[in-house]
Amino acid sequence: MRHKTLLCNCNRTMSVDGKAIAAALGEGGAPPKVQDALCRQHLAAFEAAVKTGDDLLVACTQEAPLFGVLHEELGGKGTIRFANIRENAGWSAQGKQAAPKMAALLAAADLPDPEPVPTVDYEAGSELLIVGPGAAALPWAERLAATLSVTVLLTDEARGAELPVDRRYAVMSGAVEKLDGHLGAFEVNWTQRNPIDLEACTRCGACVRACPEQAITAALQIDMTRCKSHRSCVAACGEVKAIDFNRGDATRHERFDLVFDLSDPPLIRRSQPPQGYLAPGRDPLEQALAAAKLPQLTGSFEKPKFFNYKESLCAHARSGITGCTRCIDVCSTGAISSMLKENRVVVDPHLCMGCGGCATVCPSGAMTYAYPRVADVGLRIKAMLKAYAAAGGKNPRLLFHNGEDGRALIANMARSGKGLPADLIPVEVLHVAAVGLDLMLGAVALGAAQVVVLAAGSEADEYAAALTAQMALGEEILAGFGLGAGRLHLLAADDAATAAARIAALPAVNALKAAGFNLGNEKRTTLDFVFDHFAEISVAKPAAIALKGGAPFGGLAINKDKCTLCLACVGSCPEGALLDSKESPALRFIERNCVQCGLCASTCPEQAISLLPRLTPGAAAKQPITLNETVPFACIKCGKPFGTKQMVDGMISKLGQHSMFSQPGALDRIKMCADCRVVDLLQNSQHGNILDT
């Protein structure tokens, strides 16, 4: 342990075995004393620990602010960290058996901080767009104009609303055609449709008094359902020329720092809208809460850059043909888009919210999660499982959850008397969508009997579907190795009673023999280690495991009767799974590299390739095999090999009836190499002469 551990049983509300915990964590000397009220009556014990200058690990998160302030006031020279052993372990019906889990939680908290990641910067001024019906938008503009530079875009005729007497903020009208961007950089396109242009209008009211149908609202917009086209308003407006019935749809564009969208439905309909965009709907309370946030969003901000993208591994496209689109399909923020002409995707880091779903579904590992990295989470898992076993725990299970509603749900379970079982260790991550196949199966390989992912309600539907698919694939692989079923579970619950019931219903499974390797950031490499470990401990020893369609592992089937060995598939493969041969016309294949993106099948002009989803463990998948080969076709003139018999026969079959080859002997040119073909063409062509005329 790098930190000195301070334990507390929280006024004797839980059992804390200091001796077992200290032994599991490898702390020398006498085991730490378990205090009854470290934050109150026994605060002197904390003060004494601070004065030693040691790095401290306090087994309490509720009073972290208090301990943090005292540590600073007392001039603590070491660092201070906190771990929650109360809601996560001690407050449970199985709390007396929770010492191994407490040791696991403390071991994880003792690890060094992961390496810092790059950051993404935001710079937001005070330009605010309020868009929506006039009855809602204008009152909020009145309230917010004192602190922000407000522009109002009315999306109706502003019935029931009245323009302010003085022009303290801009008011426009129209229909939004496009809204995108992020905090500090929103781009808005809209069309001006109402005949009255509110920017040009002087608000004199002459048009209102002149209109015989009273079709002009108090917000100076014409209700076209009542207007009878007398045009009296145009005459009354005169030289101001704010009214034009012949204007048509005038497209306009502006840039804003913030958007307060009062439309119903909202203009941006994503599970996770961009930073700086607030769409509270019609509820007045939600509108008030959102409005209170707006002034806090001005200034300079930064957030982690959550992803890394390695273009060379991306299987998105080749030569304008689309292959894998999984990251685009799963992203709930619209941060990922296709750059088809460049054979890659592009990620807007300002829109990325760090869910990690793109890295989870990426078959090649081109997209990886950086906050935290898989390697960092793997070290936490390994430390937890080691400490758990050292304290005498058996068959540990991991519960991945997020730090917001997931953490709150676990706390509610503990406080309602439905705490987690003693063998279920919570692992907090930023977003559960980042828990991919490499992390799930990697945890099982490291000794976790079961991996459970808690979806507490805030997760978008796209992520639940992606996690379900990843778990189904993982269960297929485990079953194929003969390592049992029921190890991977997605647990959806948004209340304590439901969560407790579904956890209790999980099947009991035993842990496998633990591997010694560490998880890495390269997905395919980590999975190689995992599969090699599964193959080593497997009794079944399968040569290949059949998988369902959509799996990122597999082979290829070649129709040799159709394949001409044109090798277009080799050029289309982004992963180097397909190779040619320098010795003879042949198509070779390395199964380990194949991600089943389908680009080869889509590119093949003969439609001779089909995908075979499967997992071939061991060295066999890493060695090149020959899928098709033939003898070279020799030029009928010089004898130099220049192609394959299948290719030449195919060209003759397709071009034999073409008028270009109608002359005697012309078809033989297809059987010649490029040099001989040119010579024959020059020798046998009939050249016209203008003098012959």
Side-chain angles (χ1 to χ4, degrees):
M1 288 289 288
R2 299 184 310 115
H3 293 74
K4 181 178 180 179
T5 307
L6 300 178
L7 301 174
C8 179
N9 60 28
C10 199
N11 198 25
R12 296 180 294 278
T13 59
M14 59 181 176
S15 174
V16 180
D17 188 339
K19 184 176 181 180
I21 292 173
L25 298 179
E27 291 189 345
K33 181 179 180 181
V34 180
Q35 306 293 338
D36 293 338
L38 185 64
C39 61
R40 297 293 186 271
Q41 289 85 353
H42 301 148
L43 197 57
F46 173 77
E47 295 175 352
V50 173
K51 291 177 181 178
T52 65
D54 292 335
D55 294 329
L56 303 180
L57 174 55
V58 182
C60 174
T61 53
Q62 176 178 286
E63 299 297 336
L66 169 65
F67 291 126
V69 169
L70 286 175
H71 186 268
E72 183 177 354
E73 289 179 350
L74 293 169
K77 296 181 180 179
T79 61
I80 184 169
R81 293 189 177 186
F82 305 93
N84 183 355
I85 66 170
R86 188 178 71 176
E87 283 87 355
N88 286 342
W91 280 6
S92 166
Q94 298 180 11
K96 292 183 179 180
Q97 295 85 45
K101 180 159 67 167
M102 292 180 182
L105 295 169
L106 292 166
D110 186 55
L111 289 173
D113 292 329
E115 296 179 9
V117 298
T119 58
V120 179
D121 297 324
Y122 293 90
E123 192 71 37
S126 60
E127 295 292 335
L128 168 67
L129 174 67
I130 303 177
V131 57
L138 290 171
W140 278 116
E142 288 292 311
R143 296 181 179 94
L144 294 169
T147 54
L148 297 168
S149 179
V150 172
T151 296
V152 178
L153 178 58
L154 306 177
T155 55
D156 62 354
E157 285 79 23
R159 300 181 185 89
E162 186 171 346
L163 292 180
V165 176
D166 52 349
R167 196 186 291 268
R168 292 184 298 115
Y169 49 85
V171 181
M172 301 172 290
S173 66
V176 176
E177 301 294 336
K178 184 180 180 181
L179 169 60
D180 56 23
H182 52 78
L183 178 65
F186 285 102
E187 304 283 342
V188 186
N189 292 348
W190 76 94
T191 55
Q192 166 72 46
R193 293 180 177 174
N194 200 274
I196 298 182
D197 185 346
L198 291 175
E199 291 181 276
C201 176
T202 64
R203 306 182 188 179
C204 66
C207 59
V208 177
R209 293 186 292 273
C211 179
E213 292 90 14
Q214 297 182 335
I216 303 178
T217 68
L220 300 178
Q221 292 287 276
I222 298 177
D223 184 347
M224 299 304 296
T225 62
R226 299 172 63 185
C227 177
K228 303 300 182 183
S229 302
H230 291 95
R231 303 299 189 261
S232 301
C233 56
V234 177
C237 189
E239 292 301 319
V240 175
K241 296 182 180 180
I243 307 176
D244 183 358
F245 283 85
N246 299 316
R247 178 187 298 110
D249 292 347
T251 302
R252 302 191 180 187
H253 172 268
E254 290 288 347
R255 183 185 177 101
F256 298 94
D257 297 299
L258 305 164
V259 176
F260 191 32
D261 183 8
L262 301 173
S263 307
D264 187 20
L267 297 172
I268 296 180
R269 288 174 242 180
R270 298 179 192 149
S271 302
Q272 292 180 286
Q275 301 268 12
Y277 172 83
L278 287 79
R282 293 181 175 178
D283 188 328
L285 176 58
E286 292 298 323
Q287 290 180 3
L289 293 173
K293 295 179 183 177
L294 288 167
Q296 304 170 24
L297 295 175
T298 60
S300 299
F301 306 93
E302 66 177 28
K303 70 174 181 180
K305 182 174 177 286
F306 295 105
F307 65 93
N308 286 319
Y309 175 58
K310 194 171 183 179
E311 183 181 334
S312 61
L313 295 178
C314 183
H316 173 58
R318 284 295 182 274
S319 303
I321 298 175
T322 302
C324 175
T325 61
R326 298 185 187 192
C327 61
I328 298 173
D329 297 337
V330 80
C331 182
S332 68
T333 66
I336 308 177
S337 56
S338 171
M339 298 288 284
L340 188 59
K341 292 182 179 180
E342 300 179 19
N343 301 320
R344 64 185 180 93
V345 300
V346 62
V347 187
D348 186 339
H350 293 92
L351 291 178
C352 174
M353 296 296 185
C355 68
C358 55
T360 291
V361 300
C362 179
S364 66
M367 199 77 73
T368 55
Y369 195 53
Y371 189 78
R373 303 174 306 164
V374 170
D376 297 325
V377 180
L379 288 175
R380 286 171 57 200
I381 292 172
K382 197 169 183 179
M384 283 180 160
L385 296 177
K386 180 180 178 181
Y388 181 90
K394 303 293 183 184
N395 298 321
R397 300 181 292 167
L398 301 180
L399 177 68
F400 287 94
H401 66 91
N402 67 40
E404 296 180 355
D405 56 349
R407 180 199 293 175
L409 179 55
I410 291 172
N412 289 338
M413 291 174 64
R415 292 166 185 169
S416 64
K418 299 179 174 66
L420 298 177
D423 63 346
L424 189 58
I425 307 170
V427 183
E428 185 172 308
V429 292
L430 182 68
H431 200 295
V432 295
V435 184
L437 190 69
D438 49 345
L439 203 51
M440 295 179 197
L441 293 184
V444 173
L446 292 177
Q450 198 172 64
V451 172
V452 183
V453 178
L454 175 62
S458 61
E459 296 76 16
D461 293 340
E462 300 95 323
Y463 301 133
L467 287 170
T468 299
Q470 293 281 299
M471 290 179 174
L473 174 60
E475 288 284 357
E476 277 187 283
I477 292 171
L478 287 165
F481 280 110
L483 299 177
R487 296 190 182 275
L488 308 178
H489 295 273
L490 177 63
L491 193 148
D494 57 6
D495 65 85
T498 302
R502 291 179 178 172
I503 289 172
L506 294 172
V509 290
N510 294 323
L512 304 175
K513 178 183 176 182
F517 59 79
N518 291 331
L519 305 188
N521 295 321
E522 295 185 2
K523 176 185 286 189
R524 304 286 287 200
T525 301
T526 292
L527 288 172
D528 282 344
F529 281 109
V530 170
F531 298 151
D532 287 346
H533 176 68
F534 287 167
E536 180 184 344
I537 64 176
S538 170
V539 176
K541 306 295 182 185
I545 300 170
L547 302 174
K548 294 178 181 177
F553 314 103
L556 297 177
I558 302 294
N559 186 331
K560 296 182 180 181
D561 294 332
K562 290 184 176 182
C563 177
T564 63
L565 285 172
C566 68
L567 303 181
C569 55
V570 175
S572 72
C573 180
E575 309 301 329
L578 286 166
L579 311 167
D580 61 0
S581 172
K582 295 181 180 179
E583 290 76 25
S584 63
L587 177 63
R588 299 189 301 160
F589 176 66
I590 301 176
E591 185 166 326
R592 185 267 179 199
N593 294 350
C594 182
V595 298
Q596 299 281 287
C597 65
L599 278 169
C600 56
S602 300
T603 302
C604 178
E606 313 298 341
Q607 297 183 336
I609 302 177
S610 55
L611 305 180
L612 292 176
R614 69 187 180 197
L615 176 64
T616 301
K622 302 172 186 177
Q623 300 300 319
I625 61 171
T626 300
L627 297 179
N628 193 15
E629 62 181 338
T630 187
V631 294
F633 187 90
C635 174
I636 61 174
K637 286 284 189 180
C638 68
K640 181 176 70 176
F642 73 94
T644 68
K645 185 176 185 302
Q646 292 97 320
M647 182 179 68
V648 173
D649 289 345
M651 292 174 66
I652 291 173
S653 173
K654 293 179 179 179
L655 300 176
Q657 304 303 317
H658 197 281
S659 59
M660 287 181 58
F661 300 96
S662 60
Q663 296 179 4
L667 201 58
D668 285 342
R669 293 187 188 124
I670 296 176
K671 304 176 184 179
M672 301 176 191
C673 68
D675 294 337
C676 293
R677 190 178 305 128
V678 172
V679 172
D680 184 76
L681 185 64
L682 293 175
Q683 289 177 344
N684 297 295
S685 295
Q686 297 180 357
H687 299 284
N689 192 321
I690 193 170
L691 297 178
D692 295 338
T693 61

